Amino acid sequence: MNDNPRILAIETSCDETAASIVEGGKNIISNVVASQIDIHRRFGGVVPEVASRHHVENMTAVIEEALVSADMDYKDLDAIAVTSGPGLVGALLVGVNTAKALAYACNLPLLPIHHIAGHIHAAELVADMEYPALALAVSGGHTSLIYLPEEGKYETIGETRDDAVGEAYDKVARTLKLPYPGGPEIDRLSAEGEVSIDFPRAWLENGSYDFSFSGLKSAVLNAVHNAGQRGETLVPENVAASFQASVVDVLVERAVRAASEYKVKQLIVTGGVAANRALREAMIRSFPSDSDVELIIPPLSLCTDNAAMIGAAANITWKKGERAGYDLNGDPGLALG
């Protein structure tokens, strides 16, 4: 078995149509992403049916661009990998069915990849992972703490009980009349404001690693609404800064405590929200370069949804000998591990 397989990876779990060729789980040969942000911005969020239709339109061109950019053909590949879940079911099906067709036509192994495993192993593209490790996956649809005792083993020790952190950002952004996606807008606005409002931190029960952001979201909405009822105007920059401070405090506290309790060697912070300036700065302060825990935060291009991260995770699936049949289906609720 090839120890450095060249894998064509496909990612269509939400609103990015992506394809990448990754060698040995570390070397990105090509990485192409067709974003739909401008399309969904008019709706204030991702519309699943619209996303699916655009995946159908973009899929062939994105794969062809990945192959051309790599100066490769299908005969140069060792396997086809695809995100099989979780995600929007219609979007997943476009990628899964494309991958199955290519695997069948080219007689190549088909590798099913979990979307969050992909986010975690984006770290492989910038550093060598060491175990045990801890991953904080934060995005529009996911907020999870995952313990990795060894390669290919995942234990979810904490997850959101309501809104994912990215969802909370989008909802607060709408309250402040900011465009979609809300995360970058609030991050930008908060840099100009002060933490002047004491918004709640949901610590939950003692010892929990779970998250809850719905109360914080409601607190922001109520603060803005009540100020309007009184004829007052809150400074948007200060609302954004205060909201973001609450989010960051909770994320950092959970990560610091878990890293200590599980005695991990590395902490990986990944997902779209990992691009957040305040979160990155707070994590770097909590895990400085001389810390016993190495902090890994992939660059922005590898934090947001992309197929290179799927190719990185696929290398582990390849080594474990796991293969999917042509009955593979998209699973919007697929569990990790």
Side-chain angles (χ1 to χ4, degrees):
M1 185 171 67
N2 188 351
D3 291 335
N4 290 291
R6 291 180 171 182
I7 298 174
L8 170 63
I10 297 170
E11 154 64 27
T12 62
S13 65
C14 191
D15 61 334
E16 280 89 11
T17 311
S20 177
I21 298 174
V22 179
E23 182 177 36
K26 292 182 176 296
N27 179 27
I28 302 174
I29 300 176
S30 66
N31 192 27
V32 179
V33 180
S35 175
Q36 300 179 24
I37 284 180
D38 290 341
I39 295 166
H40 296 281
R41 181 172 284 130
R42 74 187 77 168
F43 305 111
V46 177
V47 180
E49 178 63 22
V50 173
S52 302
R53 290 176 180 273
H54 280 87
H55 283 313
V56 172
E57 294 175 4
N58 294 335
M59 192 78 264
T60 300
V62 166
I63 292 173
E64 287 181 351
E65 185 177 343
L67 287 166
V68 170
S69 177
D71 192 23
M72 293 172 62
D73 201 348
Y74 291 107
K75 61 180 173 55
D76 301 312
L77 301 173
D78 294 295
I80 306 290
V82 65
T83 302
S84 57
L88 303 175
V89 64
L92 288 169
L93 286 173
V94 177
V96 167
N97 284 305
T98 300
K100 288 196 293 186
L102 290 175
Y104 177 80
C106 302
N107 193 29
L108 290 171
L110 178 62
L111 311 180
I113 307 301
H114 193 285
H115 182 72
I116 298 303
H119 275 303
I120 293 170
H121 291 286
E124 300 268 19
L125 300 169
V126 295
D128 291 328
M129 286 184 64
E130 297 182 28
Y131 301 90
L134 181 72
L136 174 65
V138 280
S139 67
H142 308 279
T143 304
S144 303
L145 263 176
I146 300 111
Y147 173 60
L148 293 84
E150 59 186 78
E151 185 179 76
K153 295 288 183 67
Y154 312 93
E155 299 175 14
T156 301
I157 61 173
E159 56 190 346
T160 185
R161 297 184 182 180
D162 39 61
D163 288 348
V165 64
E167 290 177 297
Y169 267 90
D170 286 338
K171 291 174 180 177
V172 168
R174 283 199 292 271
T175 299
L176 296 177
K177 296 181 172 53
L178 298 173
Y180 171 86
E185 295 294 332
I186 287 182
D187 194 26
R188 175 190 58 77
L189 201 63
S190 67
E192 304 169 9
E194 298 179 356
V195 180
S196 59
I197 306 171
D198 186 21
F199 286 131
R201 276 82 167 152
W203 301 118
L204 304 177
E205 57 272 8
N206 189 40
S208 175
Y209 288 117
D210 282 350
F211 304 90
S212 173
F213 296 105
S214 65
L216 170 60
K217 169 203 66 183
S218 297
V220 175
L221 191 152
N222 289 336
V224 173
H225 175 76
N226 292 339
Q229 292 289 92
R230 295 191 299 267
E232 303 170 356
T233 301
L234 294 178
V235 178
E237 291 82 357
N238 293 347
V239 174
S242 301
F243 162 76
Q244 183 154 276
S246 177
V247 170
V248 170
D249 282 354
V250 173
L251 293 177
V252 172
E253 187 276 338
R254 294 288 191 269
V256 169
R257 184 157 50 86
S260 175
E261 180 176 338
Y262 284 84
K263 297 179 173 57
V264 300
K265 296 180 179 179
Q266 291 179 332
L267 169 65
I268 300 153
V269 182
T270 189
V273 179
N276 182 277
R277 169 196 51 82
L279 177 60
R280 283 177 175 255
E281 291 175 355
M283 285 294 182
I284 290 170
R285 287 194 300 270
S286 299
F287 298 94
S289 58
D290 59 352
S291 170
D292 291 336
V293 179
E294 181 186 9
L295 176 66
I296 302 175
I297 309 178
L300 174 59
S301 62
L302 297 175
C303 284
T304 52
D305 287 353
N306 66 92
M309 69 182 195
I310 302 303
N315 190 62
I316 296 172
T317 300
W318 170 271
K319 289 191 292 185
K320 292 168 67 176
E322 296 177 359
R323 306 291 185 263
Y326 297 129
D327 58 347
L328 179 66
N329 205 351
D331 185 349
L334 184 64
L336 180 63

